[in-house]
Amino acid sequence: MSITFRIATTADDQRGPIATINARQLAAFRAFLREESLRTGTVLLDPDAAEDAFLSYHFEARVCPIALAAVTRIFDYQTNVISVVEEAQFRCRRVRVYRVEEGGTINMRVALTSDQGVELDLTPANAYALLEGLGLRPDSVGEIPIDAMRARLANPAVRRRAEEHGVTHYFERLDQLLATADAYDTSRLEWA
C-alpha cells in the first residue's frame, strides 16, 4: 500500500467524459503509442511491460505531446474519444484505459495522473513523516489548498521541522507537483 500526493481540481469531483472503444482500436492505440514513444524518445504508455505485448486493458497514456487529430484518427474520430482526449490535453492529464468486467466494455477517460507523472507516491511511513515535517496531521487521506501548501514550503520553521524529520529531499518533487497547479484556481494538494 502507498499514499499518493497529487493535484486535484473541482473537475476531478465530477464525472467527466467517458469513451467506449473496441479491442481493435485498443490494439491500434497501444501500437501507435509505442511507435510514437520510439520516434520521440518519450515514454507515452504506462505500464508497458513485456507481458503487455499484445493487449492490456488497464493502463494510462500520455496524450498531451501528441496532436488531437493524430490520436483520434485511430478511433475514427469518435466524438466521445475526442471529448476525452481534448479534456485530458486541456487539463494536462493522461488518459486511462480500463475494462469494465460486468459489461465487458473497454473505456477511456481522463486520468487523475498528470501528463508528466510528477505525483509523489510514498510508503505510509514516509508519507506520515513528510506530513509531520510539513506540520500537517499524519493521516492517510487529506487535502490542503495550493496557496497554503506553498506558504508552508516557504516557511523557514517548516523547513527546519522537515529537516528534523529527514524529508526535505521530497520538497523538490512537491515543488514540481505544485507547479502543475498554476493553471487552475480550484487546485488543491490531496493525498490518499
Side-chain angles (χ1 to χ4, degrees), residues 57-95:
Y57 295 108
H58 298 281
F59 65 91
E60 290 187 356
R62 291 185 65 193
V63 293
C64 292
I66 308 169
L68 177 65
V71 175
T72 57
R73 178 182 56 217
I74 298 162
F75 303 97
D76 300 320
Y77 303 103
Q78 288 174 244
T79 55
N80 56 356
V81 173
I82 291 171
S83 295
V84 170
V85 174
E86 188 175 49
E87 179 77 11
Q89 289 180 337
F90 177 75
R91 295 180 54 208
C92 298
R93 297 282 181 93
R94 296 177 181 190
V95 295

Side-chain angles (χ1 to χ4, degrees), residues 1 3-4 128 131 137-143 190-192:
M1 184 178 141
I3 296 175
T4 302
Y128 296 149
L131 291 167
R137 197 168 145 197
D139 287 331
S140 59
V141 177
E143 64 180 43
E190 70 177 24
W191 56 93

Side-chain angles (χ1 to χ4, degrees), residues 143-175:
E143 64 180 43
I144 185 171
I146 296 300
D147 292 338
M149 180 52 85
R150 285 185 175 136
R152 282 182 185 276
L153 290 173
N155 185 328
V158 170
R159 287 204 173 266
R160 281 192 301 277
R161 185 181 315 118
E163 284 177 20
E164 291 170 8
H165 283 81
V167 295
T168 54
H169 60 282
Y170 293 125
F171 280 22
E172 183 178 336
R173 287 284 305 278
L174 276 175
D175 285 335

Side-chain angles (χ1 to χ4, degrees), residues 97-150:
V97 174
Y98 59 98
R99 184 177 183 137
V100 179
E101 297 301 327
E102 299 85 46
T105 60
I106 305 166
N107 290 345
M108 177 191 290
R109 70 176 315 150
V110 177
L112 295 175
T113 309
S114 64
D115 176 63
Q116 295 184 4
V118 293
E119 286 70 21
L120 191 57
D121 194 25
L122 302 175
T123 64
N126 289 338
Y128 296 149
L130 175 59
L131 291 167
E132 288 175 354
L134 291 168
L136 297 169
R137 197 168 145 197
D139 287 331
S140 59
V141 177
E143 64 180 43
I144 185 171
I146 296 300
D147 292 338
M149 180 52 85
R150 285 185 175 136

